[in-house]
Amino acid sequence: MNRAREGADKPHPGTLVQLRIVKTFYIETFGCQMNVHDSEKVIGTLVGQGYSQVETPEEAELVFYNTCSIRDKAEQKVFSRLQQFKKEHGKGKTFAVLGCVAQQEGEKIFEKAPHVSLVCGSASYNRLPEMLVQLETGNRRVTGLSLDTEDTFETPMTRRDNPHRAYITIIEGCDKSCAYCVVPFTRGPERSRTSASVIREAEELARSGYTEIQLLGQNVNSYRDPSPAAWDFAMLLDQVGRVPGIRRVRFTTSHPRDFGKEIIDVIDANPALCNHVHLPVQSGSSRMLASMGRLYTREEYMRRIAWMKAARRPIAITTDVIVGFPGETESDFEATLGLLDEVGYDSVFSFKYSRRPNTPALALDDQIPEEEKSRRLAILQEHQRQIQIRRNAEYLGCVEECMVEGFNKATGQWIGRTAQHKTLNFLRPASEPEGDSDLTGKYLDVRVTRAGPNSLAGEAVH
Ligand code: 5AD
Ligand code: SF4
């Protein structure tokens, strides 16, 4: 019997007992877009099994946390959530930990949080229906922790919340071994989907009204079509951009080593492909890059940047940086600041190095003290802020096409997103009354009239 039903009110003797067949679940997601999209597929799977989603953990019989372990802070979040709802266990709830912390910690989670009943990493999501049956038949400890799979997680049903932009996973796992990174341990080896199934999904999305697609993978550049068609990533990207009805295609994330010039060539040739590349550099010092096991030098990275700068369409470039990796000297750090200037990034995600279980960097000497990491991070972020102020000012007076993402009641502005992934907040022209028509999901041309470090503002043009 489902434990979740045990605590239900006892029926009055003699009354007709009606079995409650709809089981409720709540899911909270931490981490990257891969996780967000995994949750959409997990929700589709659960709904397909007859479960119904609720908005709060209090209302739910099954509580899922889809977790991230990329940095220590992300990992701590799930344990604090589990502590928070520990008391709920007595009320007959079932707790499940999915995702990267599940894979990394495995059965240790049952020790740390004995009220958890299911621990399942992303490489085992295909087995979720059968694991749910095990839970329902009273099994208190269900695990899905094998990484030994050649499958990708494809669901007949996916619950997407955004009606205009949809994610499609094209490759799962990661075959690189960056010294700081848990992902190869939490998501397993690389598995690519067939090009036919990706194109089919894009066509279905276009038919149901989606206009923007974001292709996802830990390393989309290593996409290799397992079918005889044998497309590479550039070919797949181009073909997704040719699906009728799809106006914008984005992709994330790229590894510089596998990033070929043909990707820039297809972006140049196909206007549906967004002119934005996220290319994580991590450090501007070749010495640090070698120690991180990144498989490229600063010069090789800059060659990719040169391809982008030589493109016919202006390409926005964003990156990820880690400060305070073991052994990082002041001069290594300055090399990173210099690289930010040289590239002139549109945006940078920057992080303090965080020691992660199982990773090769744990063995490195010369850990950088926490205060020093914080100091470098603050300097880097201020440095980049100044770069963004200059970069964004270049857009003043330009007209940019925006996809409308929503309306900000507080400012009275519509929130738009340019092809380059910049936020462009705008008003309708003064001559046009606001009316009550919803612009969300529409594409409008907007003239940029103001520029800040993190966003642009403007006015829609006729
Ligand atoms: N510490 C700090 N940042 C990390 N990242 C990955 N692993 C770590 C770590 N151990 C950052 C990298 C990566 C981004 C997703 O997270 O910059 O590109
Ligand atoms: Fe976090 Fe990395 Fe897992 Fe994404 S793949 S959820 S970023 S640990």
Side-chain angles (χ1 to χ4, degrees), residues 166-186:
Y167 295 127
I168 300 183
T169 305
I170 60 166
I171 177 169
E172 291 178 19
C174 180
D175 283 351
K176 296 280 185 298
S177 40
C178 301
Y180 49 80
C181 190
V182 286
V183 174
F185 308 97
T186 61

Side-chain angles (χ1 to χ4, degrees), residues 94-367:
T94 302
F95 287 85
V97 178
L98 307 179
C100 293
V101 177
Q103 191 66 51
Q104 182 188 288
E105 296 296 300
E107 306 205 351
K108 277 188 272 171
I109 292 181
F110 295 135
E111 290 158 32
K112 284 195 195 170
H115 54 303
V116 170
S117 300
L118 172 71
V119 173
C120 178
S122 62
S124 304
Y125 289 162
N126 281 329
R127 287 186 42 230
L128 266 178
E130 117 201 21
M131 289 190 267
L132 290 168
V133 171
Q134 289 181 36
L135 279 183
E136 288 188 23
T137 50
N139 199 330
R140 287 276 292 112
R141 294 283 184 259
V142 181
T143 53
L145 294 170
S146 170
L147 286 177
D148 185 19
T149 177
E150 303 203 335
D151 296 339
T152 50
F153 180 35
E154 295 184 36
T155 44
M157 214 196 302
T158 300
R159 227 323 279 288
R160 289 182 161 94
D161 276 334
N162 184 322
H164 311 292
R165 176 186 304 135
Y167 295 127
I168 300 183
T169 305
I170 60 166
I171 177 169
E172 291 178 19
C174 180
D175 283 351
K176 296 280 185 298
S177 40
C178 301
Y180 49 80
C181 190
V182 286
V183 174
F185 308 97
T186 61
R187 288 189 170 270
E190 281 176 357
R191 291 97 66 199
S192 292
R193 283 175 65 182
T194 63
S195 54
S197 78
V198 173
I199 297 295
R200 204 179 315 118
E201 191 169 352
E203 288 168 345
E204 278 164 17
L205 288 166
R207 270 196 296 277
S208 40
Y210 287 90
T211 56
E212 181 172 322
I213 283 178
Q214 183 156 356
L215 303 179
L216 293 181
Q218 295 305 331
N219 181 1
V220 290
N221 319 125
S222 3
Y223 175 81
R224 289 288 170 277
D225 183 1
S227 73
W231 291 3
D232 64 7
F233 175 63
M235 178 72 173
L236 183 75
L237 182 63
D238 189 36
Q239 292 299 318
V240 173
R242 290 176 192 281
V243 169
I246 297 302
R247 292 182 66 159
R248 285 185 173 181
V249 185
R250 304 183 183 280
F251 57 97
T252 192
T253 190
S254 296
H255 190 290
R257 156 81 166 236
D258 306 325
F259 192 95
K261 179 161 181 307
E262 58 288 354
I263 298 172
I264 302 301
D265 295 339
V266 293
I267 292 177
D268 253 345
N270 184 343
L273 308 182
C274 288
N275 47 343
H276 167 217
V277 173
H278 183 69
L279 197 64
V281 66
Q282 314 301 358
S283 170
S285 151
S286 291
R287 199 180 72 86
M288 278 295 104
L289 291 172
S291 162
M292 289 174 169
R294 287 292 286 174
L295 310 174
Y296 56 85
T297 61
R298 174 182 175 128
E299 291 65 37
E300 284 162 339
Y301 181 88
M302 287 308 297
R303 206 168 305 144
R304 273 107 185 123
I305 298 295
W307 296 336
M308 293 181 216
K309 299 216 167 178
R312 286 190 293 281
R313 298 168 65 197
I315 294 183
I317 311 170
T318 58
T319 200
D320 294 344
V321 171
I322 296 177
V323 298
F325 187 73
E328 185 187 67
T329 62
E330 193 61 29
S331 95
D332 292 319
F333 174 61
E334 277 165 17
T336 302
L337 296 180
L339 181 116
L340 300 189
D341 291 327
E342 208 176 322
V343 177
Y345 288 109
D346 293 89
S347 172
V348 173
F349 298 91
S350 48
F351 312 99
K352 289 189 275 185
Y353 168 66
S354 165
R355 285 163 63 88
R356 301 285 62 218
N358 305 317
T359 56
L362 281 181
L364 295 176
D365 294 332
D366 200 7
Q367 298 284 332

